[in-house]
Amino acid sequence: MLRWGILSTGMIAKKFAATLGSMGGEAALAGVASRSLDKAKAFAEEYGAKAYFGSHEELANAGGIDAVYIATPNRYHFESAMLCLNAGKHVLCEKPFTTNAQDARKLFEAARGKGLFLMDGIWTMHLPMYHKIRQLIAEGEIGEVRHVRAEYGFAPAGARKEMKLDSSLGGGALLDVGIYNIAFAALALGLNPNGIKAHLNICDAGTDDLGTVILTYGGGKSAALSASIGVAMPIEGVIFGTKGRIALPNYQHAQQMVLHKDGEEPLTFEMPFEVNGFEYQIREAARCIRGGLLESERLDQTFSVGVIKLLDDIRKAAGLRFSFE
């Protein structure tokens, strides 16, 4: 059984902890850390953590913890992950992996140098439905892929919206939800477009609250990706090919998919989650660590750095810089 620590106690940390508690003994929550000891204690009591700490350094250096899930704000992913790697812990880091590709490369170099497992937390890439999509594309079920469309927008309010858009934390729609669009498109088109057109609306917080990105690839292939924090959008994804299309009404929580093949009746696939979808990345991390692997074949350094590099390029094209850069 892999013993997990969680760094930070926010919403995504709570989801991860709840997932661990619903996996029937496959994994254990061994510790949680916050800059506030009271918050760490309350989190530990709610989710059954065996230990709690009032500093990130204490958890990183604690015994009885095999791997750490980094759930700090975007800006601090690099330093949080490096802290845990330097303390000898395997790491799963919530997306975006880092706020720039240079830092992403440094983390993988550090992990490899210490013989530790490191994985980016784009949890969707481990979903059973995504494996099915890869299979359908590889088998030519929709012919040659020509275009991908994906949208993802939500409308938080109050303090949550302020935090999501905070430039000092590396906020904004592109890194928060637009990254899922990019990962979905990469299933069919990869991460090396030869052209980028990006329109990001820079709001009063200094980050993007709404944007559309057009990626073009060789052979006339393209992707159109829209993301927002402030405008609710269906989380739809469609992969268009020369012989049909693959459509997901919710490509993030991908439990249903419809295969449309030209001249044939639509075929629906149902793949319900066992818990909430996070269980698949947790199992993948455990599988790799037990097997002595330093990276996941499903979500390796090439993919993770490629995603961040593409985000860097999109931000550059749109003129978006964070306040700490």
Side-chain angles (χ1 to χ4, degrees):
M1 178 188 297
L2 199 65
R3 300 169 297 179
W4 285 93
I6 299 179
L7 217 60
S8 195
T9 55
M11 184 177 297
I12 201 68
K14 292 176 180 178
K15 182 175 180 178
F16 192 88
T19 309
L20 291 176
S22 300
M23 292 179 67
E26 287 185 60
L29 179 54
V32 60
S34 171
R35 298 299 186 192
S36 162
L37 186 61
D38 289 342
K39 287 183 178 179
K41 180 181 179 182
F43 189 101
E45 290 175 348
E46 181 175 359
Y47 294 101
K50 294 184 178 180
Y52 58 90
F53 306 92
S55 77
H56 295 177
E57 293 77 12
E58 288 179 89
L59 182 143
N61 290 289
I65 295 174
D66 303 308
V68 178
Y69 175 61
I70 306 299
T72 52
N74 298 350
R75 177 182 178 178
Y76 303 110
H77 285 180
F78 173 75
E79 68 178 59
S80 299
M82 191 64 80
L83 171 69
C84 293
L85 291 171
N86 286 335
K89 300 292 193 294
H90 303 290
V91 168
L92 170 61
C93 184
E94 173 57 25
K95 59 81 194 164
F97 189 57
T98 56
T99 56
N100 64 76
Q102 182 179 359
D103 283 350
R105 294 186 189 98
K106 288 179 180 178
L107 285 180
F108 278 105
E109 289 170 5
R112 183 163 294 278
K114 296 177 181 298
L116 294 168
F117 174 76
L118 175 64
M119 190 169 75
D120 180 358
I122 306 180
W123 59 279
T124 53
M125 302 308 291
H126 305 287
L127 297 179
M129 194 67 81
Y130 275 42
H131 300 323
K132 186 64 178 179
I133 292 171
R134 295 184 186 98
Q135 177 188 345
L136 292 174
I137 292 172
E139 293 175 351
E141 290 294 324
I142 60 170
E144 180 186 8
V145 173
R146 297 301 305 274
H147 182 69
V148 174
R149 175 174 58 81
E151 298 89 32
Y152 188 163
F154 70 113
R160 185 174 181 230
K161 182 176 182 179
E162 291 180 9
M163 183 191 71
K164 288 287 187 181
L165 293 173
D166 192 337
S167 182
S168 71
L169 299 179
L174 179 65
L175 267 65
D176 191 78
V177 293
I179 190 171
Y180 288 119
N181 288 340
I182 289 170
F184 178 74
L187 288 172
L189 296 173
L191 288 167
N192 295 296
N194 55 25
I196 296 172
K197 291 184 179 180
H199 173 74
L200 305 181
N201 183 67
I202 308 303
C203 65
D204 291 342
T207 53
D208 60 307
D209 63 352
L210 174 65
T212 296
V213 176
I214 305 296
L215 304 176
T216 54
Y217 303 77
K221 300 176 182 180
S222 61
L225 314 172
S226 297
S228 178
I229 293 175
V231 176
M233 300 177 181
I235 310 174
E236 295 178 343
V238 186
I239 300 171
F240 297 90
T242 55
K243 297 180 180 179
R245 68 187 186 275
I246 296 169
L248 291 91
N250 185 330
Y251 78 81
Q252 186 200 35
H253 289 77
Q255 300 177 83
Q256 184 184 78
M257 173 178 69
V258 182
L259 172 63
H260 299 266
K261 295 178 66 174
D262 294 347
E264 299 183 17
E265 290 295 315
L267 180 60
T268 299
F269 296 85
E270 302 276 357
M271 295 184 177
F273 296 159
E274 295 176 36
V275 183
N276 57 21
F278 265 36
E279 65 271 25
Y280 303 107
Q281 70 170 346
I282 292 170
R283 286 175 182 155
E284 175 65 3
R287 181 189 72 84
C288 292
I289 292 169
R290 285 195 302 266
L293 302 177
L294 303 187
E295 298 177 18
S296 166
E297 303 98 321
R298 300 173 184 171
L299 194 53
D300 62 8
Q301 176 176 349
T302 299
F303 187 90
S304 296
V305 174
V307 167
I308 302 301
K309 174 62 166 59
L310 185 49
L311 290 172
D312 287 349
D313 292 342
I314 292 169
R315 290 202 294 125
K316 183 177 180 180
L320 173 61
R321 291 177 59 87
F322 297 123
S323 60
F324 55 85
E325 294 181 312

